[in-house]
Amino acid sequence: MNFDFAALLVGLAAFTGLVWGIDALFFAKARAARAGGIAPAGGEMVREPVIVEYARSFFPVILIVLLVRSFLAEPFRIPSSSMMPNLLNGDFILVNKFTYGLRLPVLNTKFIEVGEPARGDVVVFRYPENPSQDYIKRVVGLPGDEIVYRNKILYINGEAQPQERVGRYIGVGNGREMDGAEHLRERFGDKTHEILVRQLALGRMSQDRWVVPEGHYFAMGDNRDNSLDSRAWGFVPEGNLVGRAFLIWMSWDSGISFSRIGKSID
């Protein structure tokens, strides 16, 4: 069972704000009246209950964290190797929460339209088969696209996406598990990204052609033969989008991997 940190923040903000607000409306004035309505030297009023003191102190902090996390940027940890070679198990990333529109925390209801995913974006989304889990993949198919993945080549609307061979992959630390895989550079229009494939791997596909319905996206991992993605479980509904990954802010591989800190995600 995944821990819902957003729900916790909303609950804490509501509780501390309610305690502080009720006290300010109904009890603070009564305390001041009992004390004669005059603040002691030093400017402090008669001591308020401990729970009110904590609520007044923590409510602004919790509210700021909630707003930043809900509408600006949210941290995530990469839990698998499905996005190698670009993201490694143990990378900590930041996700832009407003690129695809602002959503209410917990409810995930969009209330401001801002933009839509572009082909090639690395996105975090709620896994369609278990929305309590967050997945990260690359958007390769937009609504209406025909996607074909055959013989390790991606075709979009009948056009093979160009691939350039980089060489055999040699990883460092957590990246060593894919040593020897074929390291390629794939291009979507004017955007390029790196992928890994193993030519003899069969993958997890039940078919090799899909048509993306309206309001959905087709997402794939960059580690093409070690990724559970749209080829296996289908499309990502627009309502499941969380945001666009844009920065590695920390990387832990039996210690801090300083060379990856601050790396942008393309």
Side-chain angles (χ1 to χ4, degrees), residues 19-260:
V19 168
W20 185 20
I22 290 175
D23 180 76
L25 287 174
F26 301 107
F27 301 109
K29 291 180 180 179
R31 285 198 304 272
R34 288 197 300 270
I38 302 174
E44 293 186 7
M45 295 297 292
V46 68
R47 185 172 179 81
E48 58 194 1
V50 173
I51 189 172
V52 175
E53 184 178 353
Y54 278 116
R56 179 172 54 81
S57 299
F58 285 113
F59 173 70
V61 177
I62 295 171
L63 182 61
I64 290 171
V65 172
L66 175 63
L67 292 176
V68 170
R69 189 181 183 276
S70 300
F71 305 129
L72 295 180
E74 182 176 356
F76 286 88
R77 181 185 180 278
I78 302 300
S80 72
S81 61
S82 70
M83 287 299 291
M84 288 177 62
N86 303 294
L87 294 173
L88 304 182
N89 187 349
D91 284 346
F92 292 81
I93 65 170
L94 287 178
V95 172
N96 184 319
K97 296 297 292 287
F98 58 84
T99 301
Y100 306 139
L102 298 182
R103 298 178 185 271
L104 294 173
V106 181
L107 298 177
N108 295 304
T109 303
K110 185 185 291 187
F111 65 94
I112 295 180
E113 296 280 351
V114 177
E116 298 176 347
R119 185 175 291 112
D121 284 0
V122 177
V123 301
V124 171
F125 55 91
R126 290 177 288 115
Y127 178 35
E129 294 189 354
N130 181 4
S132 68
Q133 286 185 275
D134 292 314
Y135 269 33
I136 182 168
K137 306 291 177 188
R138 189 179 300 276
V139 171
V140 302
L142 304 178
D145 281 348
E146 179 193 60
I147 303 297
V148 173
Y149 188 70
R150 191 173 294 153
N151 299 323
K152 313 297 180 180
I153 302 294
L154 178 65
Y155 298 82
I156 301 176
N157 298 324
E159 295 186 10
Q161 304 307 293
Q163 293 180 349
E164 173 188 352
R165 191 173 189 275
V166 177
R168 289 292 172 185
Y169 180 72
I170 301 176
V172 176
N174 288 337
R176 296 298 301 273
E177 66 180 270
M178 289 300 293
D179 278 0
E182 193 167 0
H183 190 180
L184 305 171
R185 188 172 292 114
E186 186 175 62
R187 188 169 75 247
F188 294 163
D190 59 353
K191 294 182 179 180
T192 61
H193 56 272
E194 297 180 358
I195 63 173
L196 298 179
V197 299
R198 291 193 185 277
Q199 293 296 341
L200 298 180
L202 297 178
R204 309 179 184 185
M205 300 186 302
S206 58
Q207 62 187 82
D208 63 4
R209 177 186 176 275
W210 304 263
V211 176
V212 186
E214 287 300 316
H216 293 74
Y217 297 89
F218 195 89
M220 293 174 64
D222 292 337
N223 192 353
R224 292 288 166 81
D225 295 303
N226 192 20
S227 174
L228 184 64
D229 53 37
S230 287
R231 293 169 293 175
W233 42 256
F235 309 104
V236 180
E238 189 277 337
N240 285 44
L241 296 175
V242 173
R244 181 178 63 83
F246 70 95
L247 182 74
I248 299 172
W249 65 271
M250 176 59 70
S251 184
W252 185 269
D253 177 17
S254 301
I256 298 174
S257 180
F258 290 98
S259 63
R260 297 187 62 76

